């Protein structure tokens, strides 16, 4: 029910118990304007500037219609600027539609939503540095997440000076104009222009949108869990994972059939549970200044993987799947580039030529995902060259690099830049479904936006530094997963050990082991050799690591029934597998800003050790009876310093859990 | 004569031959708005952000009056927003007055002035990194200039992470809302709010002002020199320097009477011409983490300099002056702080207490220069404690740190922040004049703004890094002097060898010698031991340096009659002593962007060696007959690689110079 109060020439609109907007001549809830953005891209890193030519606060209003389920207000300023805002209540949803009726076409909208002093804000897609966004201004633009991501670190400085690649706390592959408030509402903007959500003001949240969004959706619910269920009902949820997914590690190997099979053999000899080999170089590779890089021509490399379909068949017989790699780009040297180019399936530049972009080191073309024929074509590549040869899944990488001045088959690149990841996920998903393989084949995406939660089957956290840094190392993958959960995406994991080894940063044995321990308590356990495998400690770099990793794989595999249920809950209700504990303990304010511990499903509380050289770790437990997984000791609410030697990540289960028996078996592994 | 053309609902205003404004409904020349700035200061380094609540393009206009000498136009948008603009022609000046007639008070104004494609822009105060500002957006805010000043250097990174002190290419002690165009006009905004001058657009210059300026002044002239004469006639010029100023080096020494006199003796034994000792620690010192720092209590230190007046008398008898140091702050430990605090002469915070600010390491109060009694008081401190004991001059340091939330005796700190340097220079100037010492006593300021050119007697370039970096080392002092010249300030110099030694950067022998060679061809030759004297090569660090420096002091002294004439020309006509060669060779486009060579007076072209390990140097000579100072070889127009061994800075004189005889004597020194 919408209610509207007017007083002192001001206006207050509530939806149920939620105050949505407060408006007055000195605090107008809407402004409209015109501006021009410039987006300069350097390998997926964007510098965005605005030239704002007008910003008009819409101080006047006129109520055109006022019913319980529908309110229409015309906000205006003088005769020239006006926006019709239509509020429609549909159950727990409030839809807010905007129609610009200004005399000149406007392309900026600022919306001020009423904020409460004690509100915390989560979501905005995958946020690596912050979980609670109150007090922050959050730019929402799909991009590389950056190397270092903290302007105070030397790594970031080096990445910035080497190629503007340092990033910042908010840079992300997967932003989303969606936030969830502890005042038990969510807000989602149905638009994909560049936006900034400003949560710094004590009395309002200001959403600045570089376009006039057709719609904004607000949802309310009595609990945070119900709210997520409602949000994901609207945005779409991820399907369940294939059953094989949980049967061991997804082992990231490279180098061709011989090397890969030899490593698998050794791993299995040490007791490592392997459910899949993930060979990103299935389509060939190249050596560049960045490291070992892939070929980007989406068919199997007959030199490195001769008769790969046969190899896959044999592996499958032994219960091991084979996974590959793809992205929406085509390296210019490849036959697929030539074919796509000839057919006109590539994104064009203003001169009408194929728009060649450079990623780290080499140029590529971009499949035009707004062209239905091009989408069919790339889906066929996936169906024939990937599913067709027996791949059970793949990394569906990238999609952040669409230049805003690109010329598309349909639509405007500035507006579609943010949508590109969802279009990319949709193409992958449809290929899987059309091949009849949903539930058997899974792909994992890095980039995302609204729509990704409906199309992708899982996320991974992208390219972390192989270090302990809060903003770009092991710690960062935890808030990343939790903020994704708040944004409607509930299945994510990360490269065990991280990916980026640059500027002398190398993956250590301890980092690998701590990351592996964390990964054992996530939906998926997958390794990556990193961009410079020789600079990175690997699962098989020594015997101690192999044995440790094998034990972790057994623990993970043991959790299968528990994980499956959590994944099912995500598919049915949108409750993320890795979830912010606050979701189950809403009365516990202490939890609202803690971002480096999580619940895995309902009953496991995991507090990964994210610093070097620790023998114990400080955790916070909410009101419950918690049993320490490794010692069986019981704990209640509060902060506790618990033992945390290597191999014994702080994990607690709820004493009342139906999986208590299973959890008790873990300590024997 | 002002002329106004209207066509297609647009408007074009010209002043003489200059097109000043072009206005149309789609390219309005004025916008007005409201916003709120936040200025966070960390030891003189500012982070400035804006919350803009409205920006209204004033698309409509009405001509209220149209005469040749006076035009009044009302620019507006709907009924709510209007600015009356009055244009008055007074000879070569066009005054433009703004009156906001909007229904709500506005505090932002954007002015778009017509730009020509081939225009170069100079000025905006003291710019250390850029001379030509076309293509740049220039923020105008008095601040520390920063350490490193280039976000790509490691020094800047370290300074930023250590305390937000890295600066950027535009950060400066002395910004000024004045620019000079090669289209032979200047533009000066009579206002001191934060501004941004945006010269990036090919067809207009946009001046964004965080206030409604009462007036903007445009001047035109047939030549660049005439233009500077006109500009400085308006802004005020600097008086001539005392005659003693040119009689040798102003030797920066510290440590108390004994140490200072011993160093002087040694220097003179090596033939160094010393016209003044500059002892910044005349008022005592303290040791801090930053280095050796001063006491900031403005009276002579009886421990370090017992009976300083008598020492000064004796030095004067030997032809050596004594110079001190002051700034507008008072360290809390000093008796002057206590006195000023008791009398209510200090700037207050919002709680009504003295506003204590920290510079590098210790807290201080700020004399309230808007309080006439406080000004009289600090002037008396200068007259009694400084001029009264025989000082012939001083460094009048700082004045960049006025916090925008300070509470002043009169006026608004956000508006007066930029004016503070001029108020500080004015107090110093009045103290000198009231003591009857103008022409005998000289002070040198670091900070500046509009008004400084009228009050200060000379500038120095502030705290360079003791290195070769373009943005903050030796090279940077050249564009600094040239841009000052374009802004109406014609006498400046720099610390020989630079000042800032941090992050392991130490002053080398070669840097000291190259800097000294440059300084010999500037109005004043003054040394500074640096913030960490022990980390910096000094004039007496070895015999070779002493001899080299002594020779430079003789060359400089030899130039006295030539320099005096140049300084006089600056006093009379505002032609800067160090000047951009373009001023005399307006047809030579090549000169318009060269920023590391200069004319000293009319006849000497100086191209300092600003890189390490050079034996020769590339110079550009405009159309003239140039004689190489050291070899007598003649050169014509063009680029030349000339010998440039240590001790032989590339300098050329015009063959037709009346000082030719004097110049020829120099090579014998």
């Amino acid at each position: 029910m919408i209610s509207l109060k007017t007083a002192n020439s001001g206006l207050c609109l509530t939806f149920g118990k939620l105050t949505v907007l407060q408006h007055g001549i000195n605090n107008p809830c809407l402004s409209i304007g015109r501006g021009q953005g410039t987006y300069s891209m350097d390998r997926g890193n964007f510098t965005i500037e605005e030239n704002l030519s007008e910003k008009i606060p819409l101080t006047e209003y006129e109520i055109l219609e006022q019913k319980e389920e529908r309110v229409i207000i015309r906000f205006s300023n003088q005769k020239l600027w006006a926006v019709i805002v239509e509020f429609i209540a549909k159950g727990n949803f409030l839809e807010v539609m905007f129609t610009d009726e200004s005399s000149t076409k406007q392309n900026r909208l600022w919306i001020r939503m009423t904020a409460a002093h004690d509100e915390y804000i989560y979501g905005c897609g995958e946020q690596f540095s912050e979980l609670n966004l109150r007090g922050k201004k959050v730019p929402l633009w799909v991009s590389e997440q950056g190397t270092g991501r903290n302007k105070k670190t030397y790594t970031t400085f080096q990445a910035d000076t080497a190629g503007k690649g340092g990033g910042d706390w908010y840079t992300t592959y997967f932003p989303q104009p969606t936030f969830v408030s502890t005042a038990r509402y969510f807000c989602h903007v149905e638009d994909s222009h560049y936006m900034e959500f400003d949560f710094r003001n004590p009395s309002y949240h200001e959403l600045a949108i570089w376009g006039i969004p057709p719609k904004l959706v607000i949802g309310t619910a009595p609990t945070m869990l119900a709210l997520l269920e409602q949000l994901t009902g609207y945005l779409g949820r991820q399907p369940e994972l294939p059953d094989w997914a949980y049967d061991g590690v997804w082992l990231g190997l490279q180098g061709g059939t011989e090397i890969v099979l030899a490593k698998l053999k050794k791993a299995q000899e040490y007791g490592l549970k392997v459910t899949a080999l993930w060979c990103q170089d299935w389509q060939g590779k190249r050596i560049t200044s960045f490291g070992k890089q892939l070929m980007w021509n989406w068919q199997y490399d007959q030199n490195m993987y001769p008769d790969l379909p046969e190899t896959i068949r044999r592996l499958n017989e032994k219960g091991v799947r084979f996974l590959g790699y793809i992205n929406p780009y085509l390296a210019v040297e490849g036959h697929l580039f030539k074919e796509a180019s000839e057919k006109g399936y590539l994104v064009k530049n203003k001169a009408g030529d194929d728009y060649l972009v450079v990623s780290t080191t080499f140029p590529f073309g971009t499949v035009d995902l707004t062209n239905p024929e091009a989408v069919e074509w790339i889906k066929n590549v996936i169906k024939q060259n990937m599913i067709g040869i027996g791949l059970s899944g793949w990394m569906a990488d990238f999609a952040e690099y669409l230049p805003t001045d690109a010329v598309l088959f349909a639509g405007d690149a500035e507006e579609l830049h943010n949508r590109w990841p969802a279009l990319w996920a949709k193409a992958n998903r449809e290929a899987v479904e059309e091949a009849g393989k949903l539930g058997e084949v899974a792909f994992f995406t890095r980039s995302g936006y609204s729509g990704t939660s409906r199309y992708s089957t899982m996320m991974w956290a992208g390219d972390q530094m192989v270090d302990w840094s809060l903003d770009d190392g092991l710690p960062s993958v935890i808030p990343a997963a939790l903020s994704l959960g708040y944004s409607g995406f509930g299945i994510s994991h990360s490269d065990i050990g991280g990916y980026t080894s640059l500027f002398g940063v190398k993956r250590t044995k301890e980092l690998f082991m701590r990351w592996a321990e964390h990964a054992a308590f996530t939906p998926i356990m997958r390794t990556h050799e990193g961009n410079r495998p020789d600079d990175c400690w690997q699962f098989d770099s020594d015997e101690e690591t192999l044995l440790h990793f094998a034990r972790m794989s057994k623990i993970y595999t043991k959790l299968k029934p528990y994980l499956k249920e959590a994944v099912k809950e995500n598919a049915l209700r949108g409750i993320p597998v890795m979830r912010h504990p606050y979701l189950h303990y809403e009365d516990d304010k202490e939890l609202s800003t803690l971002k480096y511990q999580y619940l895995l499903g309902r009953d496991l509380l995991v507090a990964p050790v994210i610093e070097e050289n620790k023998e114990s770790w400080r955790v916070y437990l909410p009101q419950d009876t918690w049993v320490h997984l490794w010692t069986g000791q019981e704990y209640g609410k509060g902060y506790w310093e618990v033992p945390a030697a290597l191999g014994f990540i702080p994990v607690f289960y709820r004493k009342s859990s139906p999986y208590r028996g299973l959890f008790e078996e873990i300590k024997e592994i």
Side-chain angles (χ1 to χ4, degrees), chain A:
Chain A
M1 184 191 124
I2 310 169
S3 97
L4 206 53
K5 283 178 198 150
T6 55
N8 303 324
S9 82
L11 183 72
C12 177
L13 185 142
T14 56
F15 174 58
K17 290 176 192 162
L18 180 72
T19 302
V20 178
L21 297 175
Q22 283 165 304
H23 174 85
I25 224 166
N26 293 316
N27 58 327
C29 65
L30 283 186
S31 297
I32 198 163
R34 284 186 304 126
Q36 196 177 359
T38 55
Y39 312 73
S40 67
M41 178 174 76
D42 190 338
R43 293 170 294 177
N45 304 287
F46 287 81
T47 306
I48 299 176
E49 286 187 52
E50 176 165 42
N51 191 348
L52 184 71
S53 49
E54 69 187 50
K55 178 177 182 177
I56 315 293
L58 300 178
T59 45
E60 301 147 41
Y61 70 88
E62 184 187 355
I63 299 170
L64 304 181
E65 185 173 327
Q66 184 173 1
K67 296 182 190 157
E68 284 198 354
E69 307 306 317
R70 182 179 155 110
V71 166
I72 303 178
I73 307 174
R74 183 177 189 274
F75 290 94
S76 64
N77 196 325
Q78 304 294 301
K79 289 176 190 163
L80 291 187
W81 301 280
V83 174
I84 306 279
V85 188
E86 185 177 1
F87 301 85
I88 300 182
K90 295 182 178 170
N92 289 332
F93 286 93
L94 177 68
E95 294 187 359
V96 187
M97 268 77 69
F98 301 90
T99 310
D100 176 20
E101 298 213 331
S102 305
S103 63
T104 51
K105 194 172 152 58
Q106 304 285 305
N107 64 4
R108 296 289 184 271
L109 189 71
W110 293 261
I111 307 165
R112 288 187 177 178
M113 299 182 60
T114 302
H117 269 268
D118 57 352
E119 217 180 332
Y120 295 90
I121 298 292
Y122 308 116
C124 288
E126 186 175 32
Q127 295 290 334
F128 292 90
S129 295
E130 300 294 342
L131 184 65
N132 169 36
L133 299 169
R134 195 75 191 275
K136 302 280 173 188
K137 185 168 82 170
V138 189
L140 296 164
W141 187 252
V142 168
S143 72
E144 282 281 350
Q145 123 267 44
T147 301
R149 306 185 68 261
N150 179 333
K151 295 304 184 197
K152 293 202 161 188
T153 68
Y154 187 47
T155 296
T156 309
F157 168 74
Q158 289 176 94
D160 274 337
T161 52
K164 300 185 182 172
D168 212 327
W169 69 269
Y170 53 80
T171 45
T172 176
Y173 313 106
F174 188 163
Q176 192 174 295
T178 313
F179 66 88
V180 172
S181 161
T182 53
R184 296 198 189 98
Y185 73 95
F186 72 79
C187 171
H188 171 74
V189 179
E190 275 297 358
D191 195 72
S192 60
H193 287 97
Y194 176 78
M195 301 187 205
E196 290 177 354
F197 283 8
D198 190 345
F199 301 112
R200 295 177 301 180
N201 197 290
S203 58
Y204 58 80
H205 308 311
E206 184 168 83
L207 317 183
I209 304 157
W210 287 17
I212 310 299
K215 192 162 79 169
L216 181 149
V217 180
I218 291 167
T220 61
T223 66
M224 296 298 281
L225 289 171
L227 197 62
L228 281 193
E229 188 165 355
Q230 196 182 341
L231 172 64
T232 55
Y234 178 79
L235 291 174
R237 302 178 183 126
Q238 303 81 59
E240 292 181 60
L241 294 173
D243 188 74
W244 58 261
Y246 313 93
D247 288 332
V249 166
W250 300 17
L251 199 58
L253 295 176
Q254 300 184 84
T257 308
E258 265 186 52
I259 294 174
V260 162
L261 293 183
K263 290 199 179 195
L264 173 64
K265 184 159 177 277
K266 183 177 174 194
Q268 288 174 327
E269 282 167 10
Y270 276 84
L272 187 72
K273 299 244 181 207
V274 179
T275 190
L277 292 182
W278 169 57
C279 299
Q280 56 170 8
D281 65 351
W282 73 287
Q283 33 78 50
K285 74 179 170 190
R286 59 177 90 210
I287 304 296
T288 72
S289 61
F290 183 76
K292 289 182 185 171
Q293 294 191 277
L294 308 179
M295 188 45 71
W296 297 24
N297 189 45
W298 315 120
Q299 66 174 9
Y300 82 88
D301 183 310
Q302 306 216 358
N303 292 317
M304 292 180 67
Y305 296 92
D307 200 2
L308 181 57
E310 176 57 23
T311 306
I312 293 175
R313 264 191 301 279
R314 283 195 218 143
L315 279 166
N316 287 354
E317 283 169 16
K318 295 177 195 160
V320 178
R321 303 281 171 150
F322 193 91
L323 314 176
Y325 172 99
I326 190 173
N327 66 44
Y329 310 129
L330 301 168
V332 294
E333 310 96 317
H335 80 286
L336 288 175
F337 174 89
K338 283 186 197 68
E339 187 181 332
S341 176
E342 279 164 22
K343 291 182 168 168
Y345 289 167
L346 297 176
V347 164
K348 299 281 191 296
N349 61 25
K350 284 192 174 146
D353 302 320
D354 293 332
Y355 201 135
L356 298 187
V357 173
V358 170
S359 168
T360 44
T361 54
F362 56 89
F364 57 81
T366 301
V367 177
D368 189 343
L369 300 173
T370 65
N371 179 347
E373 283 184 23
V375 173
E376 284 309 306
W377 178 82
I378 191 71
K379 278 158 61 177
N380 278 330
V381 169
I382 294 173
K383 285 187 267 188
Q384 287 166 20
N385 295 2
M386 300 176 75
I387 301 173
I389 66 162
L391 295 189
S392 292
W394 53 86
M395 174 180 279
D397 204 4
F398 283 98
E400 303 91 350
Y401 287 56
L402 185 73
T404 54
D405 60 346
V407 176
L408 305 176
F409 178 82
D412 168 45
E414 185 178 341
E415 183 177 354
L416 286 165
H417 169 89
N418 273 343
R419 289 249 184 254
W420 217 252
L423 295 178
W424 175 229
K426 184 167 184 277
N428 280 270
R429 173 67 166 269
E430 288 175 0
V432 173
E433 289 187 354
E434 289 165 15
K437 295 285 188 181
L438 191 64
E440 211 176 308
V441 162
F443 62 94
F444 39 110
T445 46
R446 179 177 87 162
S447 62
Y449 196 73
S450 314
T452 297
S453 62
R454 184 181 303 279
Y455 298 117
S456 180
T457 50
M458 52 196 301
M459 297 296 302
W460 98 100
D463 301 346
Q464 279 67 55
M465 285 297 290
V466 292
D467 68 14
W468 307 86
S469 63
L470 285 180
D471 294 285
D472 197 24
L474 166 59
S476 69
V477 304
I478 305 169
L482 303 188
S483 55
L484 267 186
Y486 273 119
S487 306
F489 204 106
I491 310 179
S492 100
H493 72 291
S494 64
D495 292 342
I496 293 174
Y499 170 79
T500 306
S501 176
L502 287 175
F503 316 119
V505 177
K506 300 179 181 187
R507 187 199 284 165
T508 65
K509 178 175 173 179
E510 184 184 0
L511 181 76
F512 180 87
M513 289 168 82
R514 285 300 192 191
W515 209 311
E517 291 173 23
H518 156 60
F521 293 91
T522 67
I524 293 294
M525 243 187 128
R526 181 182 53 77
T527 59
H528 196 310
E529 293 185 350
N531 67 314
R532 291 181 177 167
D534 299 338
D535 283 350
C536 283
W537 195 268
Q538 306 292 352
F539 77 97
D540 56 354
S541 288
D542 73 2
E543 193 165 65
E544 186 186 4
T545 312
L546 264 167
L547 290 171
H548 171 275
F549 194 51
R551 180 167 154 260
M552 290 305 136
S553 74
K554 290 171 196 161
I555 290 169
Y556 167 76
T557 309
K558 187 83 185 169
L559 287 170
K560 179 174 180 178
Y562 178 73
L563 285 172
K564 279 193 78 162
E565 187 182 310
V567 168
K568 187 172 182 180
E569 193 182 22
N570 180 65
L572 293 177
R573 293 179 54 214
I575 309 304
V577 182
M578 283 173 71
R579 61 189 80 158
H580 191 203
Y582 182 79
L583 284 170
H584 288 284
Y585 302 90
E586 293 184 36
D587 296 332
D588 193 337
K589 285 274 174 209
E590 192 69 26
L591 287 169
S592 49
T593 55
L594 292 183
K595 58 185 171 184
Y596 295 117
Q597 54 180 57
Y598 58 93
L599 287 174
L600 180 69
R602 173 64 189 98
D603 295 333
L604 286 177
L605 190 143
V606 186
V609 175
I610 54 173
E611 292 175 21
E612 271 180 302
N613 297 319
K614 290 285 171 185
E615 284 294 320
S616 66
W617 194 245
R618 192 158 180 261
V619 301
Y620 177 76
L621 300 176
Q623 185 63 54
D624 228 320
T625 302
W626 297 98
V627 183
H628 185 234
L629 188 63
W630 313 108
T631 61
Q633 192 175 327
E634 292 185 15
Y635 291 85
K637 178 179 174 171
Y639 279 98
W640 303 98
E641 184 85 19
V642 299
L646 262 181
F648 298 93
I649 177 175
V651 175
F652 302 81
Y653 62 83
R654 293 206 305 148
K655 195 175 177 182
S656 56
S657 171
Y659 289 91
R660 185 175 172 178
L662 184 148
F663 298 146
E664 281 179 356
E665 288 171 33
I666 285 179
K667 68 170 174 239
E668 310 304 326
I669 296 171

